[in-house]
Structure formats: C-alpha cells, structure tokens
C-alpha cells in the first residue's frame, strides 16, 4: 500500500513521517526541483505501507513548486490513501487544504495533530461532529509523543480498502447546479470533482482535462454570474466558498475558552517578541547573540568585564584552533612522507601548497559554520524566523516594500540556489525579479569561511562584531537597493503579506542534529570534490607561466599572476589590490565565482608564504595565512574586500539558477552588472571612509 502525508507547513508532517518510518526513511528530490522528497516504509505485524511525505502546502493552487508537486502526485500517482495531517490549534486554517483534498477520489484519513498543545491551550474539538461534516475518519494524534499513531494506521489500513468518491464545498454553494454540469465533463476521469474545480478556477493545465471538456466548461462558466465583488475571478470565488463552508460547518466543532483565557502562551510570547517597540531590537540582539556564541574569543564579555582573568573562547573558536593544528600536523606528515619516497618537487608542491593549504583552509572553518547553522536552525524551528519575517514586513512597509520576499530571502543565508527557486512562491513578477537581484546580499553559508578567515585574522578580539556587521552591511545594502529599484525599475504597490505565525515549539535535539549533519555532509562533499579539484587547478595556474614552465610559486609571472595583474587596476580604488601581490586578492575574487569557499582556498594557496618543512615549526599553516593577511590588508581594505565578495556576483550555480528563473539573458546580464556595480560602489565607500578615519 502507498500512503501520502499531506498538510500545511509546520503541522508536524515530518515528525509523523519519522515516527512512522523510523530508520527506513530515504530523502531524495522531486524531479527538476530542490524540494525534498521523503519516502519510507511503515511495518507492523503483517501490515506494510510505503509512506511518502509530500511538501508542506496551504493549498493545491499552481503557484509554487510545492503545490504543483503535491497536486500532481495526488492526481497521477494514485496513492492508496492520503493522511491529511492538520494542526488542532489552527484547525480552520488547516481545513482549507482539506476541502481541496476531499475533492479527489483518494481515501482520506484526517490526523488531528498537536492535540497536546490544543489541550493545554483549552481548545476542544468535537471529533465526531468533524467526522460527520468532512465525511472521513478523524484520528487524534500527538506526533511528537507518538501517541495515537497505531490507531491512525489501523484506521488508514481499513479506509484504504474502501473506495471513496470526491466531494466538494461547491456542491452546497449557490452554483451547485452549474457545478454538477461542469463535473459531467470530467465524469470519466478519476478525481472528477478535483479536476472540475481546477478547470473552474482557470487552472486548465493542471486539471488534466481534454480541450473539448475545457471548452464546454468555459461555456458554463460564462453563464454563471458571480457576486460583483469577484469580478469574474473564479479562483477568488471558490476560495470564498471554502472559507464560508469552514466558518459555517467547521468552526462550530471547535470550542475555545473565553477570550481572556484564550490568549495562548504563544500569543503571550508574541506580544513581547513582535511588539512594536521591542520587536526589532530583540531581533537584532538575538542575531548578535548567535554570532557572539559562534565567533567570540571572549564569551559573554566575561574577561572584558573583569569577571574572569582569562577570556572564555566560544566552542567554535576553540574547535577552529584544533582543526588548524590538525591540518598543520597532516601537512607535516604528508610533506615528510613525500620526502621519504623522494617525490618530485612539483608533487610535493601540489599536495602541500595546493591541496592541503586550500582545502585545509576551507575545512578549518567547518566547526564555526556548523554552530552558526545550528543556531539559525533552532531559531527557524522554534517558529521565531517566521516572526522575523513579520517584523521585517512591518518595517519595510514604511519604505513601500513588502516583507513577503523576506521569507525566501532568509533562505539565502543557507544557499542561494534553493532560495532563488523559492522566489516562485511570489506571485508578482516584479517582486520575483527584485528578490533574485537582492539574493546575494544575504550572506550565504559558503561565504562564511571568508568572514571567519578575515575576522579572526584582523579583528581577533571582535570577530563576532565584525561578522555580524558584514551580515548587516548586506541587509542594509539590500534595503537601500530595494528602495532605489522600487522607485525606478519596479514601480508599483507592495503586495499584501499574509502569513500565519506558527505557534512556538521547542525544537527536538534529534531534528537539530539531523539538520546540522545534512549540512555538514554537503560541506565536506563540496570541499572534497569541487573545491579540491579547483584548488589543484589554482595551484597549477599559480605555479606555471603561460609557457608552461614552473615559475617561483605565486609570482606574478604565473598564469594567474598575469590575469590578476591585468584586472588589478579596477580594484585599486577599493584598497585591497594595491602593491606587488594585490593581484592575488583579485584572483581570489575571480575564483569565488566557481564556489564562494574558493576565495578562502585560493588565498590558502596564494598567500601561503611557501614555507619549507622546517619553517613550519611554530607557525601553523593557517596562522601563517592569517599573518600574511594582517600584513597585506589594512582593516578598511579587509572590510572592503569582504563587502565586495558579499555583494558581487554569487557563485556560478546561483547565477545559472537566476538565469533559469529570469528566462531572459538580458535580465541576467543586467543583474550581473547591477551586482558588480553595487559591490564596487559599497566597497569603495567603505574603503575611502575607513581610510579617512585612519583604519
Ligand atoms: P512539517 O513542516 O509539517 O514537516 O512539521 P514538522 O514535523 O517539522 O514539525 C514542526 C514542529 O512541530 C516541530 O518543532 C515538531 O517538533 C513540532 N510538533 C510536531 N508534532 C507535534 C505535536 O504533536 N505536539 C507538539 N507539541 N509539537 C509537535
Ligand atoms: Mg517537514
């Protein structure tokens, strides 16, 4: 048997899925998009069912890849049953999707989840009455505590054997009689009512009906006179019928405590955290605290405040020290090993100055990156990030911007590629383009090693503040750029931002660990493949001249040296490209186009002061790198360099994704020019002001 779990985001689908499938789960991708596809097997006694976790959706409209995936799955893959999981604390909102699922012919069981929270908040749901209204079984569960799961699966196994015919709220609406006629056009197909509603809503493509049927339906639609406020917008009218069905039939199944008692704990926390006055300051303080925990060399400022003699290092900084020692040790071993086997000088150079210096530099920042991702994940999983988007919306509205784009933009802190794909959830083409153009300004995970490397080298005692500031430079640039673009290229109103604030949850340690582990795997895999390969190429290009003779490592006669020197003049006003070795910074920026970690691995190779085995003694390879950075970059130049890397063209994969979303080479090139120009101007301002102030 094949069961699909469908439900709104954050209603506990994945938790239920994990409880059902245990270790058999397997994560893949839906074809063509980066939406997770989770499959697993539920077994009990002789019973066995394949379980699939559909993406979280609020409706089955065709506006986001998630919605299209879910509705196509239900139409075409014929699951034996749909487990529709709904959040008992938010029933009315969740049933909206249920009314759509019920239109299919699939057997359905409704899993009423979060019953623990509902109980605590004094929400009582009349399950019998709900079953009667919906016409399908409803089982109360608590996915988190795994209660009710067996009853759910027993019911599901029974229901899956009974055929079911779809039902629609339209059958009870004013247009019930026209709807019947529309359905007759689809009556031979499975899921007739589901298809009929899609066609009525104007989503011909996903209805899967023949051209003739669609024409017939169009005729009937022309005869229907909708109430004037809908202005022949059938989609809005259908949504309205669904909501009125919910308020008439479903709302009476819910009993809440009286208004004053009904203020849930979530509401109380929200009054404080999303308050008009304290909301944004709390957000920034919280974000700073996250950076502080990850990067500070004086945790909680205990030493500066005089409470401790010796500063306490954050675990991230502490681990960074350990990974540096490890890389140094490994380089030493490899180098003496190669001496023993009398390897050629270039092999030794490639291994030690190339591969180990480059990949080692990237990997040494892994602990800090993991910590930052862990904290950000916790903020997201507790439900706080959704509030951050809400706060941002309220703030950005003053500038005529909508915070709607802010949610996909938050994803950019992880990786631009899925975030840019997520721009599809924005309905308005202008906002979609604007969002893509602003995406790189939200520092992605791959850029983090750059910030770590510079902050730890140049601002060792204030690394947390330095890195926090880089993120802020990005956000402020994004806001200013958005205001300018809105006034010029993208004129028009900000669209309304509707978003449900999910109730707060305590995150599960297991989920956090899993999530961080997933990120870790990707990071290591990238370092071992693309970064390692590119590093060897960089080493080669920096060790050989155009005539393919080996030159003194990292001299400006090397291939990279010549290329970098050619572009160098463009960057001299930004402060970081002057002098003999200024071309190296230029090359690092260029290689960052392959993948942003390459900026660090390239610098690991190019700024490696070519130490021979004995000189390595007390200077670790990467602290030698830090020393070279301190000697080469003034603080102002370092910040300008970071800002340039932050704001300029992102990695190739992100550009390709943007190009696919723009569907226009003209837009892609214009956007690339916009990124370079913004990066140049902001870096220029930072360097000029910084050096005026004497930094
Ligand atoms: P999804 O987005 O639908 O996949 O939702 P998740 O499974 O990721 O769950 C979202 C959050 O709700 C997580 O923090 C879960 O720990 C929490 N959660 C899930 N089920 C329950 C439940 O029955 N009770 C409570 N209190 N929390 C739950
Ligand atoms: Mg999930």
């Amino acid at each position: 048997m094949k069961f699909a779990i469908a439900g709104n985001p954050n209603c506990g689908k994945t938790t239920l899925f994990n409880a059902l499938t245990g270790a058999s789960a397997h994560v893949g991708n839906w074809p063509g998009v980066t939406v997770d596809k989770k499959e697993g097997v539920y077994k009990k006694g002789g019973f066995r069912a394949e379980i699939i976790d559909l993406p979280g959706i609020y409706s089955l409209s065709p506006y986001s890849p998630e919605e299209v995936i879910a509705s196509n799955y239900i139409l075409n893959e014929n699951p034996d049953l749909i487990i529709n999981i709904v959040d008992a604390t938010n029933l009315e909102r969740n049933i909206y999707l249920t009314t759509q699922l019920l239109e299919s012919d699939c057997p359905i069981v409704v899993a009423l989840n979060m019953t623990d929270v509902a109980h605590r908040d004094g929400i009582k749901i009349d399950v019998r009455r709900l079953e009667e209204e919906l016409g399908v079984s409803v089982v109360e569960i608590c996915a988190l505590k795994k209660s009710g799961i067996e009853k759910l699966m027993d019911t599901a196994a029974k229901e899956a054997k009974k055929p079911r015919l779809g039902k629609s709220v339209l059958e009870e609406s004013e247009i019930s009689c026209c709807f019947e006629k529309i359905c007759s056009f689809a009556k031979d197909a499975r899921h007739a009512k589901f298809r009929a509603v899609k066609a009525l809503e104007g989503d011909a493509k996903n209805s899967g009906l023949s051209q003739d049927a669609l024409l017939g339906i169009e005729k009937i639609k022309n005869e229907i006179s909708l109430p004037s406020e809908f202005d022949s917008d059938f989609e809005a009218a259908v949504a309205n019928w669904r909501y009125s069905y919910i308020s008439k039939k479903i709302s009476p199944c819910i009993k809440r405590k009286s208004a004053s008692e009904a203020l849930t704990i979530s509401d109380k926390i929200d009054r404080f955290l999303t308050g008009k006055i304290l909301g944004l300051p709390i957000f920034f303080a919280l974000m700073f605290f996250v950076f502080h925990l990850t990067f500070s060399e004086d945790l909680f400022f205990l030493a500066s405040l005089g409470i401790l003699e010796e500063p306490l290092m954050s675990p991230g900084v502490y681990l960074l020290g350990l990974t540096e020692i490890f890389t140094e040790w490994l380089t030493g071993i490899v180098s003496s090993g190669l001496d023993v086997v009398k390897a050629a000088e270039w092999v030794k150079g490639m291994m030690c100055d190339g591969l180990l210096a480059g990949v080692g530099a990237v990997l040494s920042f892994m602990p800090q990156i993991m910590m930052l991702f862990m904290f950000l994940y916790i903020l997201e999983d507790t439900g706080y990030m959704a509030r951050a988007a809400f706060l941002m919306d309220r703030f950005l509205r003053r500038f005529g911007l909508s915070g709607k784009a802010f949610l996909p933009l938050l994803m950019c802190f992880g990786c631009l590629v899925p975030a840019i794909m997520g721009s599809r959830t924005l309905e308005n083409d202008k906002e979609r383009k604007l969002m893509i153009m602003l995406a790189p300004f939200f520092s992605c995970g791959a850029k983090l090693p750059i910030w770590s490397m510079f902050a730890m080298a140049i601002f060792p005692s204030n690394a947390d503040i330095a890195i926090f500031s880089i993120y802020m430079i990005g956000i402020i640039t994004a806001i200013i750029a958005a205001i300018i673009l809105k006034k010029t290229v993208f004129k028009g109103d900000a669209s309304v931002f509707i978003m449900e604030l999910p109730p707060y949850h305590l995150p599960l340690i297991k989920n956090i660990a899993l999530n961080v582990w997933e990120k870790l795997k990707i990071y290591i895999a990238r370092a071992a493949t693309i970064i390692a390969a590119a590093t060897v190429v960089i080493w080669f290009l920096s060790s050989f001249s155009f005539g393919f003779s080996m030159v003194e490592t990292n001299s400006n006669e090397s291939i990279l040296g010549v290329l970098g020197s050619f572009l160098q003049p463009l960057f001299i006003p930004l402060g970081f490209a002057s002098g003999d070795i200024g071309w190296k910074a230029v090359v690092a920026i260029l290689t960052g186009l392959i993948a942003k970690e390459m900026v660090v691995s390239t610098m690991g190779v190019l700024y490696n002061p070519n130490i021979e085995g004995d000189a390595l003694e007390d200077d670790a390879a990467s602290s030698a790198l830090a020393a070279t950075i301190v000697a080469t970059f003034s603080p102002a130049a370092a910040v300008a360099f970071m800002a340039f890397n932050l704001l300029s063209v992102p990695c190739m994969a992100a550009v390709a994704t943007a190009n696919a979303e723009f569907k226009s080479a003209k837009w892609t090139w214009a956007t690339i020019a916009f990124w370079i120009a913004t990066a140049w101007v902001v870096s220029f301002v930072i360097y000029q002001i910084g050096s005026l102030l004497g930094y």
Side-chain angles (χ1 to χ4, degrees):
M1 293 231 178
K2 208 159 59 175
F3 294 174
I5 305 180
N8 289 7
N10 272 315
C11 66
K13 276 186 319 314
T14 306
T15 312
L16 174 64
F17 175 81
N18 291 343
L20 290 176
T21 58
S24 72
H26 155 85
V27 185
N29 253 356
W30 296 92
V33 285
T34 50
V35 177
D36 278 352
K37 178 179 191 176
K38 294 209 186 77
E39 291 171 294
V41 177
Y42 170 83
K43 276 197 205 116
K44 197 183 146 255
F47 181 74
R48 185 177 184 286
E50 280 170 56
I51 312 281
I52 180 150
D53 187 16
L54 294 177
I57 43 173
Y58 293 110
S59 86
L60 290 170
S61 56
Y63 294 118
S64 72
E66 285 82 2
E67 291 167 350
V68 174
I69 289 169
S71 58
N72 285 344
Y73 184 86
I74 292 166
L75 279 186
N76 305 328
E77 306 282 321
N78 280 321
D80 293 292
L81 176 124
I82 300 170
I83 298 177
N84 174 209
I85 177 162
V86 296
D87 178 351
T89 62
N90 231 321
L91 192 63
E92 284 130 314
R93 167 73 77 132
N94 278 247
I95 292 289
Y96 185 80
L97 176 66
T98 310
T99 62
Q100 293 180 318
L101 294 172
L102 286 172
E103 281 156 5
S104 81
D105 293 340
C106 286
I108 294 180
V109 172
V110 171
L112 191 61
N113 192 32
M114 311 268 183
T115 43
D116 54 333
V117 189
H119 182 76
R120 188 195 65 198
D121 294 344
I123 300 170
K124 281 211 184 72
I125 292 170
D126 185 343
V127 176
R128 292 287 87 72
R129 184 161 174 194
L130 190 61
E131 280 185 329
E132 242 160 63
E133 291 301 346
L134 298 174
V136 296
S137 306
V138 176
V139 182
E140 288 178 279
I141 65 166
C142 172
L144 196 60
K145 297 177 189 145
K146 301 193 182 168
S147 65
I149 305 263
E150 291 202 352
K151 182 166 178 223
L152 174 70
M153 293 311 280
D154 290 346
T155 316
K158 245 184 264 146
E159 294 293 327
K161 294 201 191 96
K162 297 186 213 155
R164 195 185 76 88
L165 274 185
K167 69 169 222 168
S168 170
V169 298
L170 294 179
E171 291 162 298
E172 293 168 33
S173 70
E174 303 90 296
I175 65 156
S176 58
C177 148
C178 300
F179 181 66
E180 217 167 275
K181 281 189 218 147
I182 291 177
C183 286
S184 68
F185 282 99
K187 69 175 183 303
D188 299 330
R190 194 162 142 80
H191 309 302
K193 282 183 192 144
F194 188 93
R195 292 176 199 274
V197 178
K198 284 244 169 234
L200 179 68
E201 287 176 327
D203 179 12
K205 186 162 143 267
N206 290 308
S207 72
L209 292 175
S210 70
Q211 212 52 42
D212 288 347
L214 290 170
L215 278 176
I217 292 174
E218 221 34 59
K219 249 195 225 125
I220 298 173
K221 275 169 73 173
N222 287 335
E223 287 162 18
I224 301 174
S225 59
L226 288 179
S228 62
E229 73 258 34
F230 297 120
D231 188 30
S232 76
D233 180 349
F234 276 90
E235 212 182 337
V238 171
N240 190 52
W241 277 309
R242 291 192 203 283
Y243 280 122
S244 60
Y245 162 81
I246 291 171
S247 60
K248 250 193 267 146
K249 300 286 171 90
I250 303 298
S251 300
C253 304
I254 310 168
K255 292 269 170 306
R256 289 196 176 80
K257 283 193 185 156
S258 65
S260 62
E261 283 169 284
L263 210 54
T264 61
I265 295 184
S266 263
D267 291 338
K268 281 180 203 149
I269 301 176
D270 267 344
R271 275 201 173 172
F272 179 66
L273 284 186
T274 60
K276 279 222 169 68
I277 303 161
L278 285 178
L280 277 181
I282 291 177
F283 172 65
F284 287 113
L286 211 60
M287 289 318 264
F288 176 74
F289 185 60
V290 163
F291 286 94
H292 179 72
L293 279 180
T294 315
F295 298 103
S296 177
E297 289 199 340
D298 178 8
L299 216 49
F300 308 121
F301 307 107
L302 289 178
S304 323
L305 293 173
I307 301 174
L308 284 182
E309 296 256 311
E310 284 288 307
L312 209 62
M313 267 189 246
S314 94
V317 176
Y318 184 73
L319 288 171
L320 173 65
L322 289 186
T323 46
E324 278 174 353
I325 292 171
F326 175 73
T327 323
E328 180 195 344
W329 171 80
L330 193 64
T331 313
I333 294 210
V334 171
S335 152
S336 33
L338 289 174
D339 279 343
V340 169
V341 300
K342 302 229 165 18
E345 199 54 31
W346 70 267
V347 175
K348 200 172 141 193
M350 187 180 79
M351 289 302 295
C352 297
D353 304 337
L355 206 55
L356 281 169
V359 176
V362 172
L363 285 183
S364 64
F365 297 107
M366 200 169 62
Q368 293 183 320
I369 289 169
M370 290 309 115
M371 279 196 67
L372 188 66
F373 272 129
M374 183 184 77
F375 289 129
L376 291 181
Y377 179 75
I378 292 176
L379 286 183
E380 193 186 311
D381 197 43
T382 48
Y384 182 74
M385 277 304 185
R387 268 98 185 154
F390 171 77
L391 286 170
M392 276 296 159
D393 184 58
R394 202 164 56 196
F395 174 73
L396 294 178
R397 230 151 241 297
R398 293 185 208 167
F399 305 102
L401 302 174
S402 146
K404 195 169 181 185
F406 193 74
L407 219 48
L409 280 172
L410 277 178
M411 280 176 72
C412 297
F413 286 132
C415 174
L416 254 51
V417 172
I420 289 177
M421 287 181 170
S423 70
R424 283 181 220 167
T425 48
L426 303 172
E427 277 149 48
N428 171 330
D429 189 53
K430 285 180 187 166
E431 294 208 341
R432 200 155 37 220
K433 290 205 168 91
L434 180 63
M435 188 242 133
I436 297 175
M437 293 175 81
L438 302 182
F441 302 166
F442 293 76
S443 171
C444 80
K447 292 177 185 166
L448 201 54
I450 315 177
W451 318 150
S452 264
M453 177 173 75
F454 273 89
M456 305 305 270
I458 301 214
F459 311 99
S461 48
N462 291 318
D464 49 353
I465 302 179
I467 295 175
F468 181 69
S469 313
I470 286 293
Y471 277 73
M472 285 300 129
I473 289 176
I475 294 177
I476 293 167
T477 307
I479 293 175
I480 295 174
I483 294 170
I484 295 174
L485 287 170
K486 266 282 186 192
K487 291 237 151 68
T488 53
V489 188
F490 302 113
K491 286 203 194 96
D493 292 334
S495 66
V496 191
F497 180 48
I498 311 170
M499 142 166 211
E500 171 193 19
L501 296 181
Y504 287 101
H505 293 289
L506 275 183
L508 284 180
I509 293 183
K510 191 172 142 215
N511 284 353
I512 299 171
L514 267 178
N515 189 280
V516 172
W517 171 235
E518 291 289 319
K519 295 257 161 62
L520 190 74
K521 272 200 303 207
I522 297 172
Y523 192 74
I524 295 177
R526 277 167 67 93
T529 53
I530 175 170
I531 311 281
T535 305
V536 171
V537 175
I538 302 289
W539 171 82
F540 174 79
L541 295 177
S542 70
S543 303
F544 287 84
S545 71
F546 271 111
F548 290 108
S549 55
M550 198 161 175
V551 293
E552 197 185 320
T553 310
N554 298 339
S555 88
N556 51 7
E557 284 154 33
S558 64
I559 299 180
L560 278 187
V562 173
L563 288 179
S565 310
F566 176 70
L567 291 174
Q568 198 177 351
L570 288 176
F571 294 93
I572 288 186
L574 311 185
F576 52 78
S578 37
D580 274 355
I581 61 166
W583 62 269
K584 293 182 179 178
V586 178
V587 169
I589 286 179
L590 290 182
T591 57
L593 296 178
I594 304 172
K596 286 294 163 187
E597 297 97 327
M598 284 302 298
V599 176
V600 168
S601 62
T602 304
M603 294 184 78
V605 176
L606 296 185
Y607 288 74
N608 191 338
N610 212 7
I611 328 161
E612 291 305 325
D614 46 68
L616 262 172
E617 276 168 27
D618 47 17
D619 252 349
S622 61
S623 53
L625 173 60
T628 332
I629 289 176
V630 174
T632 330
F633 290 82
S634 70
V639 178
F641 181 77
M642 288 193 270
F644 195 91
N645 276 298
L646 171 66
L647 305 171
S648 151
V649 184
C651 70
M652 229 98 95
V655 175
T657 315
N659 184 41
E661 295 296 324
F662 280 140
K663 296 188 193 71
S664 137
K666 201 181 96 206
W667 264 103
T668 309
W669 285 111
T671 303
I672 289 177
F674 163 76
W675 286 330
I676 296 176
T678 313
W680 201 92
V681 170
V682 174
S683 302
F684 179 78
V685 171
I686 289 177
Y687 176 67
Q688 297 301 335
I689 293 181
S691 46
L692 269 184
L693 296 176
Y695 290 104

